[in-house]
Amino acid sequence: MPKGHYLSAILRSPKTVFTLKDFALLWHEPTSEAVRVRLNYYVNKGDLYRIRKGLYAKSQAYDKLELATRILTPSYLSFETVLVREGLIFQYYETIFAASYTTREITIENQIYSYRKIKTDVLINTTGVIHAGEIAIAGKERALLDSLYLSPSYHFDNLRSINWDVIFEILPIYENTRLSRKVQDLYQKNHDLRYRDS
């Protein structure tokens, strides 16, 4: 790649958050040391923003949801981040929640990123996970199941918008009898409630 094109390749990318591997691929650069030297140059000039070691952005106005899925990989947004957004629970959370291979809480620039461990077979199965641009995010049905999988007594405020066909389509990936029973119970209660309301 011609010398002057390294920065323009970054600016043309739809990503707002980059890893060293992203830069190596973008610049067709086989050595990570050359990538690090170039990144330090751009950061010192103010052309790039270093979020933390190994993570960079075009500016401080990076997408925090995108960052959440880049700090630990593989991971996808789920749990309260999706449940609040979809109106399944009413309590607001400033923390960004994601499913990943480990349980960890990380704070970057006053934003808390909370990762909850999901078994690998479930984590890498993309059924019910939506890829929106640079972000992987659970649909509301997948977020509901993730939450019940880790917390069987989880309370939801509103299940009216849930598509139960989608729930039962995703459910087998967990291979969990307890979860299946809990979902069947929730479905029955929700069905009975709708029947009474109609």
Side-chain angles (χ1 to χ4, degrees):
M1 180 177 287
K3 190 175 180 180
H5 292 215
Y6 291 111
L7 188 59
S8 63
I10 297 167
L11 298 176
R12 284 195 310 269
S13 171
K15 296 178 190 290
T16 70
V17 177
F18 300 84
T19 63
L20 288 173
K21 186 178 177 182
D22 291 330
F23 289 119
L25 290 170
L26 197 59
W27 294 338
H28 310 290
E29 185 66 64
T31 64
S32 57
E33 189 51 39
V35 171
R36 282 192 186 89
V37 169
R38 197 172 295 121
L39 286 175
N40 284 335
Y41 171 75
Y42 286 132
V43 167
N44 290 334
K45 273 187 65 187
D47 293 327
L48 280 180
Y49 178 67
R50 182 183 284 116
I51 302 169
R52 62 179 278 171
K53 186 178 178 182
L55 287 166
Y56 300 81
K58 295 177 188 179
S59 72
Q60 285 182 276
Y62 59 85
D63 187 328
K64 290 180 179 179
L65 295 179
E66 183 182 342
L67 175 60
T69 62
R70 307 310 298 282
I71 296 169
L72 299 180
T73 55
S75 64
Y76 61 88
L77 300 170
S78 189
F79 309 111
E80 287 80 3
T81 296
V82 175
L83 299 177
V84 169
R85 187 169 148 170
E86 295 289 346
L88 274 66
I89 60 172
F90 299 147
Q91 185 176 343
Y92 175 72
Y93 293 85
E94 288 189 5
T95 299
I96 295 173
F97 295 92
S100 191
Y101 59 89
T102 188
T103 296
R104 190 175 301 169
E105 190 167 281
I106 298 168
T107 302
I108 298 175
E109 298 178 349
N110 299 317
Q111 175 63 60
I112 300 169
Y113 299 89
S114 180
Y115 297 87
R116 294 177 183 157
K117 182 177 181 177
I118 291 271
K119 68 177 179 178
T120 305
D121 290 348
V122 175
L123 181 63
I124 62 174
N125 190 315
T126 58
T127 307
V129 177
I130 301 153
H131 292 272
E134 302 301 320
I135 300 168
I137 184 167
K140 58 189 169 188
E141 289 81 10
R142 174 77 181 243
L144 178 147
L145 289 170
D146 284 348
S147 300
L148 284 176
Y149 176 66
L150 295 186
S151 305
S153 59
Y154 199 99
H155 172 74
F156 302 94
D157 297 309
N158 175 23
L159 294 180
R160 292 178 189 277
S161 68
I162 285 295
N163 182 329
W164 290 96
D165 290 338
V166 173
I167 288 283
F168 288 112
E169 182 186 317
I170 301 170
L171 186 57
I173 72 171
Y174 296 88
E175 297 179 337
N176 188 293
T177 307
R178 175 189 50 75
L179 178 61
S180 296
R181 283 198 302 267
K182 180 67 181 177
V183 167
Q184 193 62 52
D185 184 49
L186 261 184
Y187 169 72
Q188 197 58 54
K189 284 179 182 172
N190 192 64
H191 182 75
D192 292 345
L193 186 64
R194 284 187 175 184
Y195 185 74
R196 284 202 307 270
D197 290 348
S198 60

